[in-house]
Amino acid sequence: MTQTPAPYIALSGVRKAYRIGGEMMPIFAGLDLAIPRGDFVAVMGPSGSGKSTLLNMLAGIDRPDAGTLSIGTSRLDQMGEAARSAWRAHNMGIVFQFYNLLPMLTAAENVELPLLLKPLSRKERRMRVEKVLDLVGLSGREKQYPAMMSGGQQQRIGIARAIVSDPGLLLCDEPTGDLDRKSADEVLDMLRFLNRELEKTIVMVTHDPQAALYARRTLHLDKGDFVEEKRAA
Amino acid sequence: MTLFDLARKNAWRKPLRTVLLMVSIAVAFLIYGLTASFLAGTQGAAGASDDLLGVTSAGGRTQPLPMAAMSRIAADPGVAAVGYVTRLRGFVDVEKNVVAISAADPDLLMAVNGKGLGLTPALVGAIGQGRDRVLVGRALAEAQGWSVGQRATITAFDTPREDGSRDWRFEIAGIFEGESAATDTYFMIARYDYVNAARARGKDTVDAFVVLPRMGVSPGELAAGIDTLFANSATPTRTQSEKQFLEAFLRQYADVGLIVNLVVGAAFVTLLMIVVNTMVFAVRERTFEIGVLKTLGFSRLGIMALILGETLFVFAVGGGIGLALAKLATILAGPTLGLVFSAPVLAKALVIIAVLGLATGALPAFNAMRTPIIKAFRTR
Ligand SMILES: Nc1ncnc2c1ncn2[C@@H]1O[C@H](COP(=O)(O)OP(=O)(O)OP(=O)(O)O)[C@@H](O)[C@H]1O
Ligand SMILES: [Mg+2]
């Protein structure tokens, strides 16, 4: 008997339905998914197929109605809100389509936000912020406000914020959905770098087939289930 | 950056809104600071002694006591010294400019309460040099712009002279300072012998005796003893500490403390409503962002701290400005108006700042804390 290592992310029999106008609309009726550590998965699918719902469950901001959902050693489906919020602070970074930076904070302050939840000194926080800003190629722009930056730059700040507390998992919901091709490629290069060099596990929802090419593999979600799986070259 | 910096930056996102909030908070605390200083100061009887006893008629403060009662009071072994006072109320030039005159025997007053009023042998000597001479309290002298040697005419409200006139002319012989800033010096001391001889009615009566208990004698017991002494006489007495006396005196016009508390209380309740309302909307506008913070791992407690920090900040700045202005006002006008910005006044204000800061933040914080992230994200 060969021992297969337990996957990093494991969904089994996950059900999720939303009440829409008094009727329960099932999104997932028994979804199974296994993602090993260090993978870079693109999730594609038509609008309304449940991509964001899946990502929200992985982020611990939404819960399955039934089934199990574990990431690493944590059973997210069994954890209460406080535990999930602490889990997020330590294990996961999230990148949004519209960056969601706080407008009254500078680039450096936006990146520093997740570190406020950690027992770090002011100096340690500053060093970490400098390090990740350098990583995303934005050192020297610490004091700029998001409103003064291009979309691509803002998204790189968003990525810096997502990785500043060094989480193992990175979740991205259409990270390039609001960017031109060139900026999108820069951001995707960066995600690939984070996956290849820093061994972050990445789950990225995207509508863009070109973006999906940066991932190691692509999952197609349709009518609440995965229909086929393609391996990137 | 700290969590508090974040709260502070949130507060300044709409500078006009925040400035307006701070101004209304500052005004409320200015009102509070002034009224509380007023109550803490002379008018509020805080500077009054607990030891000195005032003996007045049990039938009411406006009913006089016979001068003859003095020897019976002085005979009590618990009494160290007795003085007596007749009060005249009048005005200078215009009726609004009210002035109170205490007609007393300067030597006896010195013995009873010389320290409290800041009387000196020189002052007592000065008033002794002429029957129509007076000593003016520092606050009154400054308010009227009087100086030593000047003459002043006070038109009495209800103490006519024998010649039918109500105008009393005095020569200012000196100015007394009072023991401390809290001492009421907004009155003048005239000679009883002169006033008594010249007045048309009520001769040889006084409005009050002032009694200094002997060391070691309980003022409360002595007060009861004096009242027993006159219980069955034609003029029963009511003896109180100077403090009770002054408080009762103020209450005659109105319960100043109660009115002040009601006014200040109403100001604070209004403030509470305004700030809660503003903050509920300010935080609701940020629902999405709070969802983002929660996604980053901010706990319910963290979100709550963030919003409470913001309201506390707004209250601390606004309240600080209001209290600083109140303090400034008591320094500039304190002596004349008898305002004392005491440590208890400040301490109470700080407690109110903290309580209001937390109370106004509670509802918006609770709302923000409760909103699920998924729902927060649907607000955009
Ligand atoms: N909180 C919610 N309450 C009710 N219905 C919801 C909720 N969230 C999602 N839905 C519904 O669930 C379905 C799947 O939504 P989801 O956002 O996961 O789709 P998606 O694949 O991300 O679509 P898109 O590509 O447009 O972002 C949709 O029909 C949506 O209307
Ligand atoms: Mg979506």
Side-chain angles (χ1 to χ4, degrees):
Chain A
M1 233 173 80
T2 51
Q3 190 99 23
T4 47
Y8 178 50
I9 300 175
L11 278 75
S12 147
V14 165
R15 293 170 164 275
K16 182 75 189 173
Y18 285 118
R19 183 181 296 280
I20 299 170
E23 249 184 89
M24 293 305 281
M25 279 275 299
I27 310 295
F28 301 124
L31 187 70
D32 299 319
L33 173 64
I35 296 175
R37 197 179 287 275
D39 206 352
F40 183 174
V41 180
V43 179
M44 299 192 71
S47 187
S49 55
K51 303 184 296 296
S52 295
T53 305
L54 172 65
L55 214 62
N56 287 342
M57 288 194 296
L58 294 180
I61 61 185
D62 206 348
R63 295 173 89 169
D65 297 335
T68 63
L69 162 55
S70 65
I71 300 181
T73 53
S74 304
R75 278 288 298 272
L76 281 184
D77 57 296
Q78 292 179 334
M79 283 157 58
E81 191 188 314
R84 279 181 285 136
S85 124
W87 177 84
R88 275 199 296 278
H90 293 98
N91 299 285
M92 183 216 72
I94 190 158
V95 179
F96 304 89
Q97 177 176 0
F98 299 106
Y99 334 123
N100 296 345
L101 304 176
L102 301 200
M104 76 292 187
L105 300 185
T106 63
E109 287 166 340
N110 265 292
V111 174
E112 191 184 352
L113 270 181
L115 296 184
L116 296 183
L117 306 166
K118 305 209 154 201
L120 294 174
S121 72
R122 208 173 265 265
K123 200 176 152 216
E124 285 171 305
R125 290 203 302 262
R126 211 191 47 232
M127 275 164 50
R128 283 222 205 178
V129 169
E130 274 173 21
K131 205 178 108 193
V132 292
L133 278 176
D134 189 43
L135 199 71
V136 300
L138 286 177
S139 36
R141 296 191 183 263
E142 286 81 359
K143 297 237 147 59
Q144 279 194 10
Y145 285 89
M148 306 188 306
M149 300 182 140
S150 73
Q153 288 170 333
Q154 289 190 54
Q155 192 57 299
R156 283 190 273 159
I157 297 293
I159 292 174
R161 179 179 65 185
I163 59 172
V164 72
S165 45
D166 200 22
L169 175 63
L170 213 52
L171 302 174
C172 314
D173 197 352
E174 301 190 32
T176 59
D178 202 43
L179 299 179
D180 59 60
R181 188 73 260 155
K182 186 171 164 289
S183 307
D185 284 335
E186 281 170 16
V187 163
L188 290 161
D189 270 329
M190 197 160 292
L191 292 178
R192 184 157 59 189
F193 171 84
L194 292 172
N195 175 249
R196 298 261 159 97
E197 307 302 323
L198 302 183
E199 292 165 358
K200 308 274 181 218
T201 307
I202 301 181
V203 179
M204 171 177 76
V205 166
T206 183
H207 274 120
D208 176 9
Q210 295 234 52
L213 294 178
Y214 284 79
R216 290 178 195 265
R217 60 182 174 130
T218 302
L219 299 176
H220 286 271
L221 202 54
D222 198 8
K223 301 198 179 70
D225 217 339
F226 297 111
V227 289
E228 74 190 280
E229 184 166 312
K230 275 192 233 158
R231 285 230 168 238
Chain B
M1 193 174 59
T2 61
L3 199 64
F4 181 70
D5 291 330
L6 188 57
R8 198 167 41 78
K9 282 172 203 262
N10 266 334
W12 285 122
R13 293 173 74 163
K14 295 254 165 88
L16 180 64
R17 177 165 71 192
T18 303
V19 166
L20 288 178
L21 279 187
M22 283 174 173
V23 168
S24 44
I25 293 166
V27 169
F29 276 92
L30 175 61
I31 293 172
Y32 167 79
L34 290 178
T35 50
S37 298
F38 171 80
L39 285 184
T42 41
Q43 322 287 347
S49 163
D50 259 332
D51 295 340
L52 275 191
L53 296 176
V55 186
T56 53
S57 166
R61 199 156 291 110
T62 49
Q63 273 175 265
L65 294 169
M67 192 64 191
M70 174 148 157
S71 53
R72 292 183 65 186
I73 296 173
D76 190 302
V79 171
V82 195
Y84 49 84
V85 179
T86 278
R87 274 212 157 201
L88 267 76
R89 278 163 44 81
F91 59 90
V92 181
D93 301 332
V94 286
E95 284 207 24
K96 273 197 310 196
N97 189 7
V98 177
V99 168
I101 305 169
S102 289
D105 178 313
D107 290 307
L108 291 179
L109 192 61
M110 173 85 178
V112 175
N113 196 21
K115 185 162 158 284
L117 293 172
L119 297 180
T120 61
L123 285 172
V124 174
I127 193 176
Q129 281 168 21
R131 280 163 57 86
D132 64 346
R133 294 189 134 205
V134 288
L135 298 176
V136 179
R138 167 63 64 194
L140 180 61
E142 277 181 7
Q144 307 289 346
W146 288 341
S147 52
V148 176
Q150 209 175 323
R151 293 198 150 268
T153 301
I154 283 90
T155 308
F157 287 122
D158 40 31
T159 314
R161 297 167 61 95
E162 275 187 322
D163 58 17
S165 154
R166 287 174 186 277
D167 288 346
W168 294 78
R169 285 187 191 78
F170 297 107
E171 184 190 341
I172 297 165
I175 290 170
F176 61 95
E177 304 287 342
E179 190 178 15
S180 73
T183 312
D184 178 10
T185 55
Y186 202 87
F187 70 101
M188 53 204 264
I189 299 167
R191 285 173 54 163
Y192 178 83
D193 55 353
Y194 171 64
V195 170
N196 189 48
R199 64 178 163 178
R201 294 192 304 260
K203 280 189 195 295
D204 296 325
T205 64
V206 298
D207 288 332
F209 292 101
V210 184
V211 175
L212 178 66
R214 218 174 271 288
M215 287 282 275
V217 173
S218 145
E221 277 172 32
L222 181 57
I226 292 171
D227 288 344
T228 316
L229 207 58
F230 293 97
N232 296 316
S233 75
T235 54
T237 58
R238 171 133 187 254
T239 306
Q240 295 169 291
S241 76
E242 192 195 6
K243 198 165 187 162
Q244 292 170 321
F245 178 86
L246 266 177
E247 278 165 2
F249 174 75
L250 284 168
R251 210 166 291 131
Q252 245 189 328
Y253 298 98
D255 192 333
V256 181
L258 180 67
I259 289 175
V260 162
N261 283 338
L262 285 177
V263 169
V264 173
F268 280 140
V269 169
T270 313
L271 188 66
L272 187 81
M273 311 273 206
I274 293 172
V275 181
V276 166
N277 187 56
T278 311
M279 283 306 294
V280 163
F281 281 99
V283 170
R284 194 173 293 164
E285 281 168 17
R286 282 184 231 144
T287 304
F288 182 86
E289 249 171 46
I290 289 165
V292 172
L293 289 177
K294 285 184 179 174
T295 309
L296 298 181
F298 278 73
S299 62
R300 281 166 164 248
L301 225 65
I303 298 294
M304 176 151 207
L306 197 59
I307 292 165
L308 293 182
E310 184 174 340
T311 50
L312 275 176
F313 168 72
V314 170
F315 265 93
V317 174
I321 292 171
L323 292 175
L325 289 176
K327 172 80 188 169
L328 198 70
T330 56
I331 291 170
L332 294 180
T336 17
L337 299 178
L339 300 177
V340 179
F341 193 88
S342 60
V345 170
L346 179 65
K348 207 170 146 196
L350 294 180
V351 170
I352 296 174
I353 286 179
V355 168
L356 284 181
L358 294 175
T360 50
L363 183 62
F366 183 69
N367 286 343
M369 222 170 74
R370 256 182 358 163
T371 314
I373 302 177
I374 294 286
K375 213 168 152 196
F377 280 163
R378 299 189 136 229
T379 60
R380 192 177 281 177

